């Protein structure tokens, strides 16, 4: 094959040399494309790992939030139970005070009937 370089000059390249350099060029292009593909695969794998780590972190946080919600609900139930116990105690105390007042009133009535002062003022 003749490559013209000007008016009176040309380079004569044999088909074997031309084929050799074409093969070398094609090999370099394929090597670069393979390297680029490997870089993209590595980047994709890294993104997948990051995505999995993010999902795992989100799942862990959701579990922690649920645990706190359950704990908060349990605490709320315990607080309500304590409040109910306080109401029960106050109710019983009121009943006891009413009964005590009634007993004192009856005692005073008995003492008046007997004519004895109860000694209370």
């Amino acid at each position: 094959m003749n490559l013209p370089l000007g008016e009176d000059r040309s380079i004569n390249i044999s088909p074997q040399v031309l084929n050799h350099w074409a093969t070398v060029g094609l090999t370099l292009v394929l090597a670069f494309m393979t390297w680029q593909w490997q870089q993209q695969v590595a980047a994709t794998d890294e993104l997948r790992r990051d995505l999995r780590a993010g999902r795992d972190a989100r799942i862990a946080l959701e579990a922690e939030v649920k645990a706190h919600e359950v704990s908060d609900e349990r605490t709320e139930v315990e607080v309500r139970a304590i409040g109910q116990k306080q109401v029960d105690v106050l109710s019983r105390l009121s009943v006891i005070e009413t009964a005590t007042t009634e007993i004192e009133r009856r005692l005073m009535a008995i003492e008046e009937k007997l004519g004895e002062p109860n000694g209370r003022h």
Side-chain angles (χ1 to χ4, degrees):
M1 171 182 263
N2 284 330
L3 294 174
L5 294 177
E7 292 178 12
D8 55 349
R9 292 186 261 160
S10 66
I11 296 177
N12 191 12
I13 300 176
S14 71
Q16 292 85 9
V17 172
L18 187 59
N19 189 25
H20 169 75
W21 285 111
T23 303
V24 168
L26 185 57
T27 302
L28 288 174
V29 167
L30 288 175
F32 176 74
M33 290 176 69
T34 302
W35 175 80
Q36 201 173 30
W37 177 75
Q38 289 172 340
Q39 296 300 312
Q40 289 175 346
V41 168
T44 302
D45 288 345
E46 187 175 339
L47 287 174
R48 283 187 182 136
R49 281 191 300 274
D50 289 348
L51 180 61
R52 279 189 210 111
R55 285 180 187 158
D56 292 346
R58 187 193 77 220
I59 289 169
L61 284 174
E62 287 173 352
E64 189 174 335
V65 166
K66 265 188 185 172
H68 284 295
E69 287 174 352
V70 168
S71 175
D72 290 348
E73 288 174 11
R74 190 177 328 125
T75 302
E76 189 175 320
V77 167
E78 290 170 353
V79 167
R80 275 194 234 127
I82 291 170
Q84 185 59 45
K85 286 179 183 177
Q86 288 175 337
V87 167
D88 292 345
V89 167
L90 290 175
S91 175
R92 288 177 187 166
L93 183 59
S94 175
V95 168
I96 291 170
E97 287 175 349
T98 302
T100 302
T101 303
E102 181 61 25
I103 290 170
E104 287 176 347
R105 188 187 63 74
R106 286 182 183 176
L107 183 59
M108 288 173 59
I110 292 171
E111 288 174 345
E112 284 179 12
K113 284 183 181 179
L114 295 175
E116 299 175 9
N118 62 8
R120 297 180 197 169
H121 301 285

